[in-house]
Amino acid sequence: MNHIFYTLWIVLTLASTTTFAQDYTEWNLPEGAKARLGKGQITGNLSYSPDGTKLAVASSIGVWIYDAQTGEELDLLSGHTSQVTSIAFSPDGKTIASGSVDNTIRLWNADTSDLIRTLKGHKSWVSSVAFSPDGKTIASGSGDVTVRLWNFHNGTHIRTLTAHAGDVYTVAFSPDGSTIASGNSDNTIRLWNANTGNYLPTLAGHEFAVFTVVFSPDGNMIASGSRDNTIRLWNANTYKFIRTLERHTGIVRHVAFSPDGKTFASVSKDNTLRLWDANTGDHLRTFDGQTEGVRGVAFSPDGKTIASRSGDGTLRFWNADMGDLLRTFEGHTDAVYSVAFSPDSNILASCGQDTAVHLWKPDTATLLRTFEGHTEGVSSVEFSPDGNTIASGSEDKTIRLWNFNIGDLIHTLTGHTHYVTSVAFSPDGSTIASGSKDFSVRVWDANNGTHLRVLTGHTEGVISVAFSPDGKTIASGSEDTTIRLWNTDTGNRLRTLNGHTRTVKSIAFRADGKIIASGSRDNTIHLWNADTGNIIHTLEEHTNQVNCVAFSPDGITLVSGSMDKTIRLWNTDTGKIIHTLKGHTGWVRNVAFSPDGKTLASGSYDGTVLLWTIPSDENK
């Protein structure tokens, strides 16, 4: 996320109470949630409506519909249980098809946003969807190594096309609807008779997987982009190879022809959008400015504008003739790794893959400030007990301390030789503990940033650290499957807790200091007696690894988040499950109760933070 966007967003938020940006935070929320922070990751392609007025964007939480001119959010089509990978408008513009990692294709009414039907049959993720030119047939490609054809009007499966030797990444119809092309991980493009399903010649020549294939508007040419960093052009009538275009220095993710067929655009992991002459193969222009790889491109129906999307969460619009940047839509967010409330519950901090720390106002779901400086993903964020300082630990091996009130960087703590996975303030705010993949826990003076000591003994990476409520003990969870308890003042090891069979992902002390909770990659949560080290309860309802655990302020409830995409609330005395919250479309990476106990925040790999109202029977 760049500085311009956040500055603009803050200005709009403070200056107007009618800004449309506020509205979408409450669209299509899961049951029990009261707001969504962030729009999620952009996870698939872009598609203009045939009349050019709307732009549909595939995301981790559904299909976002934008006004193509103003950037205003018009709708969010939600219902897929995992990220959306591909979208397409029907030729008449009345229907949107979306394919997802949840193995399904959904058809939506483009005017009302109602779900028309769900197409099921693929055995793995749906990578690509395409309408036939007459709108009667839908083609879908999948990680199950097949292409499937579906009757648009009734949703019935027509046939399955099999011959690929690897995942199918892309499908496209020829302009006359007679041929289907598919690109896949076996480095080839396969052609099929759309009416009979008969197999036509294979186009071979790419050295690695083919991620994109598209026909020219006149149907005479096929363009393909590959992991081998090249674009290849083929004669669609004779199936002969024409030429290879080699300007890109990274994976070619997507290719799109202009409506008149004279040019085509390509986007790549090398952060560039390039324009080419379709007849000669000459490189015409490079569009620079996006970061983290450009992953999608589309021409407007009138051919005057090119839209591109990037891994940095931006949608950019370019003048197709001059190459000028016309406008930028922002607000999409990357995977969220950690969330933390301020001591007064008024601010929520989040961090993640986008290398920044974001501060939000939970009651209005508005972004207040962003701290930028880390050079890699930020794995952990914590407020000091007085709320004046924020600590962030990063994959760049550093811990940064920020002044909350003015946003200045106070100190950068260096010493770890691998990812910093977790940071925690002592209850009195004088000390910071950090865990790292370098197998160590380090202790720092929170006031001046000096390094105090190193706690060694784990035989693999340290993934989580926590202070006991009295500040006398530091607990650390590790990839070596153990939890170690250390004397904060001396650094001496007090005890090792054994019981998990895989990585300990998260640890937390109950407010009275008597119980320690730990979540593990073995899918379980253990509740331990903090004095004896004995296991009190083992909680086993999650069906995948438990990434995070946190106690409610009163200690009655434990919350856990998992790779199974659920959040579970447990009674800490009985170990019984109380409630399950569902709504994230990606792994739940971190959870936090507000200090006043009224709100639960969850951060997810889907790029969003959900704010939940604590169910009444838990809010005691």
Side-chain angles (χ1 to χ4, degrees):
M1 299 292 182
N2 59 40
H3 297 284
I4 296 173
F5 162 59
Y6 285 112
T7 301
L8 180 58
W9 195 349
I10 291 168
V11 170
L12 289 174
T13 300
L14 296 177
S16 172
T17 58
T18 60
T19 176
F20 59 77
Q22 304 254 350
D23 298 338
Y24 64 78
T25 64
E26 297 180 1
W27 289 354
N28 299 341
L29 292 174
E31 183 180 355
K34 55 186 178 181
R36 180 190 294 111
L37 309 181
K39 296 180 181 178
Q41 301 180 67
I42 304 176
T43 53
N45 66 310
L46 324 174
S47 182
Y48 273 98
S49 60
D51 63 6
T53 61
K54 297 177 182 178
L55 184 73
V57 179
S59 87
S60 56
I61 61 171
V63 180
W64 284 95
I65 309 298
Y66 291 95
D67 184 300
Q69 298 303 313
T70 67
E72 180 177 357
E73 300 86 354
L74 300 177
D75 216 333
L76 171 62
L77 312 182
S78 62
H80 283 294
T81 58
S82 194
Q83 68 184 45
V84 178
T85 54
S86 181
I87 47 177
F89 276 93
S90 60
D92 62 8
K94 295 180 179 180
T95 305
I96 298 171
S98 58
S100 169
V101 174
D102 68 10
N103 303 356
T104 71
I105 300 132
R106 289 181 178 244
L107 304 182
W108 313 84
N109 184 303
D111 294 322
T112 66
S113 301
D114 293 334
L115 178 65
I116 300 170
R117 64 178 56 89
T118 301
L119 311 182
K120 299 180 180 180
H122 280 297
K123 305 302 181 185
S124 186
W125 63 292
V126 179
S127 58
S128 183
V129 291
F131 279 93
S132 60
D134 62 10
K136 295 180 180 179
T137 306
I138 297 170
S140 57
S142 170
D144 66 11
V145 197
T146 70
V147 175
R148 288 180 178 252
L149 302 184
W150 312 81
N151 182 299
F152 163 71
H153 295 292
N154 57 28
T156 57
H157 174 244
I158 300 171
R159 66 177 57 90
T160 300
L161 311 180
T162 58
H164 283 296
D167 294 355
V168 179
Y169 292 128
T170 178
V171 294
F173 277 95
S174 61
D176 64 6
S178 64
T179 304
I180 296 169
S182 56
N184 76 107
S185 62
D186 66 13
N187 310 346
T188 67
I189 299 152
R190 295 186 182 266
L191 302 178
W192 318 79
N193 182 301
N195 296 312
T196 65
N198 290 340
Y199 179 54
L200 301 174
T202 297
L203 309 183
H206 281 296
E207 297 178 4
F208 294 104
V210 178
F211 285 129
T212 179
V213 61
V214 62
F215 285 87
S216 60
D218 62 9
N220 292 326
M221 185 184 294
I222 296 171
S224 57
S226 167
R227 184 182 285 274
D228 65 15
N229 303 353
T230 71
I231 300 160
R232 289 184 174 247
L233 301 181
W234 316 80
N235 185 302
N237 300 307
T238 65
Y239 314 122
K240 300 296 184 182
F241 168 69
I242 301 173
R243 63 178 59 90
T244 301
L245 311 180
E246 299 182 303
R247 288 282 189 118
H248 283 297
T249 58
I251 296 169
V252 180
R253 298 280 192 182
H254 199 73
V255 174
F257 276 94
S258 61
D260 62 11
K262 293 180 180 180
T263 60
F264 64 87
S266 61
V267 293
S268 167
K269 193 177 180 180
D270 65 12
N271 300 343
T272 65
L273 161 63
R274 295 179 182 269
L275 190 67
W276 311 80
D277 185 296
N279 294 316
T280 66
D282 291 341
H283 180 256
L284 301 177
R285 186 175 296 115
T286 301
F287 303 78
D288 294 308
Q290 294 185 122
T291 60
E292 299 184 35
V294 192
R295 303 177 185 178
V297 64
F299 277 89
S300 60
D302 62 10
K304 295 180 179 179
T305 305
I306 299 173
S308 62
R309 73 94 170 173
S310 169
D312 64 9
T314 62
L315 301 172
R316 297 185 184 229
F317 297 80
W318 312 83
N319 181 296
D321 294 324
M322 304 301 294
D324 297 332
L325 178 63
L326 301 174
R327 56 192 170 276
T328 303
F329 298 172
E330 306 203 35
H332 285 280
T333 43
D334 222 324
V336 177
Y337 294 162
S338 181
V339 291
F341 278 96
S342 60
D344 62 6
S345 302
N346 290 332
I347 304 296
L348 180 76
S350 68
C351 64
Q353 191 172 334
D354 68 359
T355 76
V357 176
H358 309 295
L359 302 184
W360 309 83
K361 187 75 171 169
D363 55 354
T364 60
T366 53
L367 182 69
L368 298 178
R369 183 180 296 132
T370 298
F371 297 154
E372 295 181 311
H374 284 295
T375 58
E376 295 188 50
V378 184
S379 55
S380 182
V381 63
E382 281 290 327
F383 278 90
S384 61
D386 64 8
N388 292 327
T389 305
I390 293 173
S392 57
S394 169
E395 294 171 357
D396 66 13
K397 307 175 189 177
T398 71
I399 299 116
R400 291 179 180 249
L401 304 183
W402 312 85
N403 182 301
F404 164 70
N405 297 302
I406 59 178
D408 289 348
L409 177 65
I410 304 169
H411 298 293
T412 299
L413 312 183
T414 59
H416 282 296
T417 58
H418 211 309
Y419 294 173
V420 178
T421 56
S422 182
V423 293
F425 277 94
S426 60
D428 65 5
S430 65
T431 307
I432 295 170
S434 58
S436 169
K437 286 263 197 171
D438 64 12
F439 301 7
S440 76
V441 177
R442 288 181 179 257
V443 183
W444 315 81
D445 186 299
N447 297 309
N448 57 32
T450 57
H451 180 253
L452 300 177
R453 63 185 59 88
V454 182
L455 312 182
T456 58
H458 283 295
T459 57
E460 294 187 51
V462 177
I463 305 302
S464 182
V465 293
F467 278 92
S468 61
D470 63 10
K472 295 179 180 180
T473 305
I474 296 171
S476 56
S478 170
E479 291 174 320
D480 66 13
T481 76
T482 71
I483 299 161
R484 291 179 181 249
L485 303 183
W486 314 82
N487 182 294
T488 302
D489 294 326
T490 65
N492 293 334
R493 182 175 64 84
L494 302 174
R495 184 177 292 114
T496 299
L497 308 184
N498 293 289
H500 285 297
T501 58
R502 301 188 72 182
T503 299
V504 180
K505 298 284 290 184
S506 180
I507 49 180
F509 280 88
R510 196 166 73 171
D512 60 9
K514 295 181 179 180
I515 295 178
I516 298 170
S518 59
S520 170
R521 199 171 179 181
D522 65 14
N523 303 358
T524 71
I525 301 159
H526 286 321
L527 297 183
W528 311 78
N529 182 302
D531 294 323
T532 66
N534 294 330
I535 295 174
I536 302 169
H537 296 294
T538 298
L539 316 180
E540 299 181 301
E541 293 289 333
H542 283 296
T543 59
N544 211 320
Q545 73 178 38
V546 181
N547 291 323
C548 50
V549 291
F551 283 98
S552 60
D554 61 12
I556 295 174
T557 305
L558 179 77
V559 63
S560 58
S562 168
M563 195 182 285
D564 66 14
K565 306 178 187 178
T566 69
I567 299 156
R568 295 181 186 266
L569 298 168
W570 313 79
N571 183 292
T572 60
D573 292 325
T574 66
K576 300 297 184 182
I577 192 165
I578 301 168
H579 203 80
T580 300
L581 303 175
K582 298 179 179 180
H584 281 296
T585 58
W587 305 346
V588 180
R589 175 66 184 262
N590 198 243
V591 290
F593 280 98
S594 60
D596 63 12
K598 295 179 179 179
T599 302
L600 174 67
S602 58
S604 168
Y605 270 77
D606 66 17
T608 69
V609 175
L610 285 174
L611 302 181
W612 307 84
T613 300
I614 308 298
S616 57
D617 56 340
E618 283 86 45
N619 191 20
K620 296 179 181 178

